[in-house]
Amino acid sequence: MIVIKTVGTILAFAIYFSWLPLPVVLITIVPYYFTIRHLAGRYLNPFVKSDLILPLVVSFVWMTASPMSTDGKSMANIAELFALGIVWSFLWLVRLVLICVVRNKKKSFCFYANCVLVIIAVLFALLFPALPE
């Protein structure tokens, strides 16, 4: 029962984390595939494999690092996940701009940007102050 509850919580947090990045990705990927991709390179795919599990990983890392904070966190601190989604949206836009400017997909940059987001999730969980309920 505890496994089902934990997995459900991670999935709910992942959906909350993806609330802003998914529309940003969809809004930016449509012009990319119809206009910019023909200029930058026909077979450049801006996605990497780690993008698929990133919302789950970030949610899990944030959820496990939050209890380690010095002050008691409440459910109001779920706003940190929304802020992490905004950071991921910004990193996504930077990735698309770099692909369009360089005209080459740097898989290492995409992977390391996702790793930086996981590190930022830990920092948010540990250093963000507790919000009132």
Side-chain angles (χ1 to χ4, degrees):
M1 187 67 179
I2 190 78
V3 173
I4 294 172
K5 184 178 178 182
T6 304
V7 170
T9 303
I10 292 171
L11 286 175
F13 284 163
I15 291 170
Y16 188 72
F17 167 79
S18 302
W19 188 75
L20 181 69
L22 285 181
V24 168
V25 168
L26 291 176
I27 288 170
T28 57
I29 204 69
V30 170
Y32 175 80
Y33 274 115
F34 286 113
T35 59
I36 299 169
R37 185 177 80 156
H38 299 295
L39 300 173
R42 187 161 182 86
Y43 299 104
L44 285 178
N45 184 2
F47 296 103
V48 290
K49 292 178 184 174
S50 62
D51 288 336
L52 294 174
I53 62 168
L54 187 68
L56 295 173
V57 170
V58 168
S59 301
F60 178 74
V61 166
W62 179 83
M63 188 175 80
T64 56
S66 287
M68 296 177 202
S69 177
T70 55
D71 48 352
K73 296 231 178 180
S74 66
M75 281 303 290
N77 283 85
I78 201 168
E80 296 171 22
L81 281 175
F82 185 74
L84 286 169
I86 293 171
V87 171
W88 191 35
S89 299
F90 175 74
L91 289 174
W92 170 258
L93 294 175
V94 169
R95 179 192 305 184
L96 278 181
V97 168
L98 284 178
I99 288 174
C100 294
V101 169
V102 178
R103 295 184 181 195
N104 189 7
K105 179 180 168 183
K106 302 288 185 185
K107 288 183 182 179
S108 60
F109 171 76
C110 299
F111 177 74
Y112 290 133
N114 290 344
C115 291
V116 165
L117 187 64
V118 172
I119 293 169
I120 291 172
V122 171
L123 293 176
F124 268 36
L126 295 177
L127 302 177
F128 206 81
L131 297 175
E133 290 185 34

